[in-house]
Amino acid sequence: MRTKIVAGNWKMNLDVDASKQLAMDISVAIQNLETNNTRIIIAPTATNLYPVFHQPSMDSRVEIAAQNMHQAKNGAFTGEISAEMIHSVGITNVILGHSERRTYFNETDAALAEKVSTALQNNLDAIFCFGEVLEERQSNNHFKVVESQLQNALFHLNDSDWRNIVLAYEPVWAIGTGETASPEQAQEMHAFIRTVIAKKFGNTIAQNVSILYGGSVKPSNAKEIFSQPDVDGGLIGGAALNTADFVALIVAIQ
Ligand code: 13P
């Protein structure tokens, strides 16, 4: 059975106190919630990973993810953080390839292929993001684009690597816009993603990998999106910054 995941990407929001508070509020709010087979992940900004993770009395079901890392082991890369550094503070997940990284920081598929490998070598699970921009969907190239993003960044992996990979399909036109892919559009793409993975790595791996949808997921649309057979959860931006909304998404996926 695939793991369901509700992951909050906090992006460049919240200082250390606000991050700790939000993490604690989520912890308290889920205390009496059954969350069988659901992973809950929050991704604070780099400076807040350690203080959030090491708060006493955090609910142990709340996992932490970094939002990015450099592909090199270490070296002269001013301003960057390495996989080893992330792992050394106790964090075991990293988001890679978010469209904001690709757009504003020129992250290429080739760099992402290296980042994924470096993350796995350092015992970090990679939450790998990808998705088409509006023009690509309008010109009916979205399947081709997504297939090539997967090929270029993930096809060098070994079968066993897939135990530590989560996929996050985030159509760029739906991120922070209030515009969501319809449940049918999400399902159609997620099913396609599984066929792409199955062709290269076989059906078992394709059936076992969790594929999250991201882009304007909120309590009012979550249930319909999460109930699609190939949607295993969400990567959430705006709604992850509000305890009640984020917890409502965790409830919606049960
Ligand atoms: P929104 O939920 O704010 O659209 O952001 C989605 C996202 O980018 C998550 O990584």
Side-chain angles (χ1 to χ4, degrees), residues 33-44:
L33 210 63
E34 290 277 341
T35 55
N36 295 330
N37 191 38
T38 305
R39 291 174 67 189
I40 300 162
I41 303 175
I42 53 175

Side-chain angles (χ1 to χ4, degrees), residues 9 11 98 100 170 174-176 215-217 235-238:
N9 174 8
K11 308 192 180 184
H98 193 280
E100 287 146 18
E170 299 203 302
I175 295 177
S216 299
V217 177
L235 182 55
I236 319 298

Side-chain angles (χ1 to χ4, degrees), residues 126 128 130 150 154 162 165-169 193 197 209-212:
F128 178 74
F130 54 95
L150 295 170
L154 301 179
W162 283 89
I165 299 282
V166 171
L167 300 179
Y169 168 60
I193 292 162
I197 302 301
V209 67
S210 296
I211 310 178
L212 314 185

